[in-house]
Amino acid sequence: DIQMTQSPSSLSASVGDRVTITCRASQSISSYLNWYHQKPGKAPKLLIYAASSLQSGVPSRFSGSGSGTDFTLTISSLQPEDFATYYCQHTYTTPFTFGPGTIVDIK
Amino acid sequence: EVQLVESGGGLVQPGGSLRLSCAASGFTFSSYEMNWVRQAPGKGLEWVSYISSSGSTIYYADSVKGRFSISRDNAKNSLYLQMNSLRAEDTAVYYCARGNRLSGSSLWGQGTLVTVSS
């Protein structure tokens, strides 16, 4: 099975900060990588699919990059509604494993 | 309105069974691949199962293989998860999610809580 890791596991940031989260796969997954965020008590929300494609309706401050084993989610200017837990997920082959998550909270 | 609504969760004893349902509305359900994803209390997300739009292709996580069964009824716009031989570690919020390998899961239900306890 393909294992997913994320770094950092948590970070504290201020409104307006540029935030970068990294996701690494244990083997190449091409561009089969999605990013979600989740707020407490709510369902996850898709932000980025296929490593770098912005999901419809998601603000352009979110961007994704990478291919193979190393991927990055960047929030160019953190907004109050962005404080949440962020997960990557590969869909290269089953099982479609999620990363352990990165908590983004207020500094 | 485009939405997914899960039901069927609840408290069940270890070894028991439960059937979850996911009702789809506002889109052509039969055209979409579907997944079940779960989240144990205070933990991260775990992919559970996948079914193709026709129901002909099915995958499971190793943790549920042989105990859970995914199915769908396109005429009823519904997705199901039959859960047998339940264990304490199956306790989680279960989400149905519309999506595929190429474009991720863009539509999620609100989740239904399954608690396995004596």
Side-chain angles (χ1 to χ4, degrees):
Chain A
D1 294 356
I2 298 172
Q3 307 304 315
M4 307 299 292
T5 58
Q6 288 182 234
S7 61
S9 56
S10 66
L11 66 90
S12 295
S14 300
V15 173
D17 283 355
R18 182 181 182 89
V19 169
T20 298
I21 299 169
T22 297
C23 177
R24 177 166 289 174
S26 60
Q27 65 186 72
S28 178
I29 57 171
S30 184
S31 296
Y32 288 90
L33 192 283
N34 309 305
W35 288 98
Y36 302 85
H37 74 185
Q38 185 183 33
K39 298 180 182 180
K42 300 295 187 181
K45 177 184 177 181
L46 179 66
L47 303 171
I48 301 287
Y49 65 93
S52 60
S53 294
L54 188 68
Q55 173 64 16
S56 176
V58 174
S60 59
R61 63 180 180 273
F62 291 94
S63 64
S65 64
S67 66
T69 60
D70 294 320
F71 301 86
T72 299
L73 173 72
T74 299
I75 309 171
S76 60
S77 177
L78 198 66
Q79 297 302 301
E81 59 267 31
D82 300 337
F83 293 97
T85 300
Y86 289 77
Y87 295 95
C88 61
Q89 180 204 25
H90 86 82
T91 50
Y92 183 71
T93 185
T94 58
F96 299 148
T97 315
F98 288 88
T102 295
I103 300 171
V104 176
D105 63 16
I106 302 172
K107 181 183 285 185
Chain B
E1 181 185 0
V2 175
Q3 63 177 356
L4 297 169
V5 179
E6 300 96 336
S7 61
L11 175 63
V12 60
Q13 292 188 338
S17 297
L18 213 53
R19 189 196 197 203
L20 305 184
S21 298
C22 171
S25 58
F27 64 97
T28 306
F29 178 70
S30 60
S31 297
Y32 289 89
E33 299 156 70
M34 298 294 296
N35 294 269
W36 286 99
V37 174
R38 68 184 181 183
Q39 186 169 37
K43 303 298 185 182
L45 300 168
E46 179 186 14
W47 172 81
V48 172
S49 185
Y50 159 95
I51 187 167
S52 62
S53 57
S54 67
S56 60
T57 301
I58 285 172
Y59 301 112
Y60 298 100
D62 285 347
S63 58
V64 306
K65 199 173 296 182
R67 300 187 300 122
F68 289 14
S69 176
I70 190 172
S71 62
R72 64 191 297 160
D73 185 333
N74 287 341
K76 294 184 177 180
N77 294 327
S78 293
L79 175 73
Y80 305 102
L81 187 67
Q82 177 67 44
M83 305 186 296
N84 299 327
S85 303
L86 283 161
R87 307 166 179 168
E89 54 264 35
D90 296 318
T91 294
V93 173
Y94 285 74
Y95 296 100
C96 61
R98 184 188 78 180
N100 59 49
R101 291 182 64 225
L102 295 176
S103 55
S105 292
S106 59
L107 180 66
W108 295 66
Q110 85 288 353
T112 187
L113 176 62
V114 172
T115 303
V116 184
S117 175
S118 55

